[in-house]
Amino acid sequence: MNCLEFRHACLTEPDSRDSEFRAHADACRACQAFLEEQRLMEEQLRRALAIAPPAGLAARVMLKQSFAPRRWVPRLAVAATVLMAIAATSVTYLWNRPLSLEAEVLAHIHAEPEALAAPGPVDADKLAAVLRALGAQLDSAPGDDAMDGGGTSPGMGEVDRVGSERSRPRRELAVEVRYAGICDIRRRPGAHLVLAGERGPVTVLLMPDERVSQRAPLRTGDLEGVVLPVDGGSMAIVGSRGEPLNALEHRLRVQFRGKDV
Amino acid sequence: MNTSQERFTALVQAWTADLYRFAYWLTRDRQRAEDLVQETFLRAWRSLAQLRDDQAAKSWLFTILRNEYHRRPATPGDAGKFPAEEPTDNSDATQDWIVRRQILALPEEYREPLLLQVLGGYDCDEIAVLLGVSRAAVMTRLFRARQKLRAALADKPAADLPAKDHHELP
């Protein structure tokens, strides 16, 4: 490490414990003086940043929390017959104007980073409890040769999630579920699932109270996906840019019946 | 095992002050900082089951706060709000005021990584993940943040510092 590199490191990571960094400080008197100067500035910086929070802030946080409904996420110990209660108030969004469903879906995903980061896996009982609370049935459609290789997605009105359901056997969801919970989406209960995709987490929102007339793509800086009509409601599937969602879109079968909430 | 309420109360007691400081230096607005802290803890309460390890609590809370901050763009009046106190003498308080003024004057792209490093305790790789940029970009921004602070505080022209910049902003 030369003097130039050392002084750069002083301004990027002044508390570095790197052995080369320390060795240079020991060997070069001028650089050691520079480092000492920078350390004094770091002390000034820390002192200046250490402002006092307003009096009573922690107490106000606790007060607000005491009025806040808790969104319930299934745990391992919860019996499958526990009734899911949905909070009366919705998750607050800061936009003033009403948003389209597509925009709300994207906003909801961005507002819940902990769902995307959940390591999973969620076991079958937990997933079943979430779905049952919404009156939803979610499973995998049998493989369809026409759709293999990422074929074209169906157009308007062609999504078939009912009708032949009785003649097709139900199949386990053939993808890892990392997160499952009930959320408020546009002030209505929905299921928020996160599946393991090829490029990263894939969010699936099941919305029994939302009706969309046709499949609609959605896209933001780092996410893309689709909102589409399903039997009894709608479903959003959103993944990272470039995630192959077509196969998943055709594989997931959703049906909403009577809800428990 | 502690109840959720006990865990949450412990989080509030442990991290409110640090979260407020981070929120204040990000927003440069005391009221907005308090609102952000409130919103952060509300989200934390709803997602408490996701927090499995108390060692990860600070990082988790800082991430929630940062996400909440970036969901709402700054309003035009947010820029350039300095702390209320004015320098009156040559004391430490005056020096603090001067440093604070300089920190507030840093553009957000330099200020935020500096706050994440100094207040949040994140290393450059972690900051890169949070900001969605390369490690090299983080190091450039930290370098420029400190370069500006040094120049302003020591009354030194920036030319006294190493001129060659290894890292280019993306």
Side-chain angles (χ1 to χ4, degrees):
Chain A
M1 179 176 275
N2 61 34
C3 291
L4 190 63
E5 289 164 340
F6 179 83
R7 295 188 184 203
H8 266 277
C10 286
L11 267 62
T12 55
E13 294 177 288
D15 297 327
S16 174
R17 294 174 184 269
D18 178 74
S19 54
E20 278 192 59
F21 180 82
R22 293 183 145 194
H24 187 93
D26 290 340
C28 176
R29 199 170 281 183
C31 283
Q32 193 176 61
F34 184 90
L35 178 60
E36 283 309 310
E37 200 178 276
Q38 185 57 34
R39 283 187 172 152
L40 282 175
M41 196 193 91
E42 293 298 310
E43 273 180 38
Q44 281 182 310
L45 181 59
R46 286 193 176 89
R47 201 172 60 233
L49 288 173
I51 57 169
L57 177 56
R60 288 193 291 283
V61 168
M62 295 304 303
L63 179 64
K64 194 155 188 169
Q65 178 258 332
S66 69
F67 285 94
R70 176 97 184 273
R71 176 165 58 80
W72 189 81
V73 176
R75 296 168 183 260
L76 277 169
V78 173
T81 53
V82 172
L83 190 66
M84 312 260 305
I86 300 298
T89 55
S90 62
V91 174
T92 55
Y93 292 101
L94 302 179
W95 282 268
N96 293 325
R97 294 169 294 178
L99 301 177
S100 64
L101 181 59
E102 293 83 3
E104 286 278 4
V105 163
L106 291 170
H108 187 90
I109 293 170
H110 280 115
E112 310 252 329
E114 57 276 9
L116 289 174
V122 170
D123 70 32
D125 287 343
K126 286 198 282 184
L127 177 61
V130 169
L131 296 173
R132 193 160 47 245
L134 279 184
Q137 190 170 296
L138 175 70
D139 52 23
S140 288
D144 184 334
D145 288 345
M147 298 298 174
D148 282 349
T152 55
S153 53
M156 178 166 40
E158 292 177 34
V159 177
D160 176 19
R161 307 287 188 195
V162 221
S164 52
E165 200 263 349
R166 282 186 197 144
S167 60
R168 283 196 250 166
R170 285 193 54 203
R171 294 156 64 91
E172 291 295 320
L173 204 58
V175 61
E176 182 186 322
V177 179
R178 290 192 177 158
Y179 176 88
I182 298 288
C183 284
D184 290 331
I185 302 167
R186 297 218 294 194
R187 299 181 184 270
R188 299 185 180 104
H192 185 154
L193 310 180
V194 175
L195 313 180
E198 287 183 27
R199 291 193 169 213
V202 174
T203 301
V204 175
L205 301 182
L206 306 179
M207 299 169 282
D209 293 316
E210 294 285 352
R211 296 288 189 270
V212 295
S213 57
Q214 62 186 45
R215 183 180 181 282
L218 47 84
R219 175 175 287 194
T220 183
D222 51 352
L223 299 176
E224 64 183 359
V226 64
V227 177
L228 50 102
V230 298
D231 176 35
S234 64
M235 172 168 68
I237 307 175
V238 182
S240 308
R241 283 278 195 106
E243 176 77 41
L245 293 176
N246 272 349
L248 192 63
E249 182 182 332
H250 297 109
R251 205 160 273 281
L252 292 178
R253 287 196 313 182
V254 181
Q255 188 175 31
F256 292 107
R257 295 172 180 161
K259 297 195 282 288
D260 289 344
V261 295
Chain B
M1 185 184 293
N2 291 339
T3 64
S4 297
Q5 186 60 58
E6 287 167 345
R7 290 180 72 205
F8 181 78
T9 303
L11 281 177
V12 172
Q13 287 170 348
W15 300 115
T16 294
D18 282 352
L19 278 177
Y20 176 79
R21 288 180 194 116
F22 183 49
Y24 172 75
W25 293 110
L26 266 185
T27 62
R28 302 180 295 180
D29 181 311
R30 290 185 187 276
Q31 186 56 56
R32 192 163 165 224
E34 176 159 346
D35 292 345
L36 263 183
V37 171
Q38 289 280 16
E39 193 56 42
T40 297
F41 275 116
L42 273 181
R43 290 192 183 281
W45 169 239
R46 291 188 186 116
S47 310
L48 199 56
Q50 305 300 325
L51 179 63
R52 316 243 165 144
D53 173 8
D54 67 334
Q55 301 288 336
K58 180 181 180 182
S59 167
W60 183 64
L61 290 168
F62 266 59
T63 301
I64 295 174
L65 189 146
R66 201 190 151 264
N67 287 344
E68 196 56 33
Y69 168 71
H70 284 290
R71 280 181 60 223
R72 188 181 172 196
T75 54
D78 281 3
K81 288 186 182 176
F82 293 110
E85 64 270 26
E86 298 276 342
T88 54
D89 54 26
N90 231 5
S91 65
D92 279 349
T94 299
Q95 187 64 15
D96 287 349
W97 186 91
I98 294 170
V99 175
R100 285 170 186 157
R101 195 162 184 263
Q102 296 305 327
I103 297 166
L104 291 173
L106 285 175
E108 185 181 288
E109 64 181 341
Y110 301 157
R111 185 162 27 91
E112 186 175 9
L114 185 66
L115 295 176
L116 286 169
Q117 187 185 55
V118 177
L119 281 181
Y122 293 93
D123 62 31
C124 289
D125 291 320
E126 290 164 335
I127 296 171
V129 170
L130 281 172
L131 300 186
V133 300
S134 67
R135 179 187 161 86
V138 170
M139 293 178 78
T140 296
R141 295 178 192 190
L142 289 171
F143 175 84
R144 293 204 176 147
R146 287 193 169 89
Q147 190 181 42
K148 281 182 172 291
L149 287 176
R150 278 183 69 104
L153 295 173
D155 206 27
K156 273 181 198 176
D160 276 9
L161 296 158
K164 187 181 175 188
D165 192 356
H166 290 292
H167 314 292
E168 295 298 323
L169 265 177

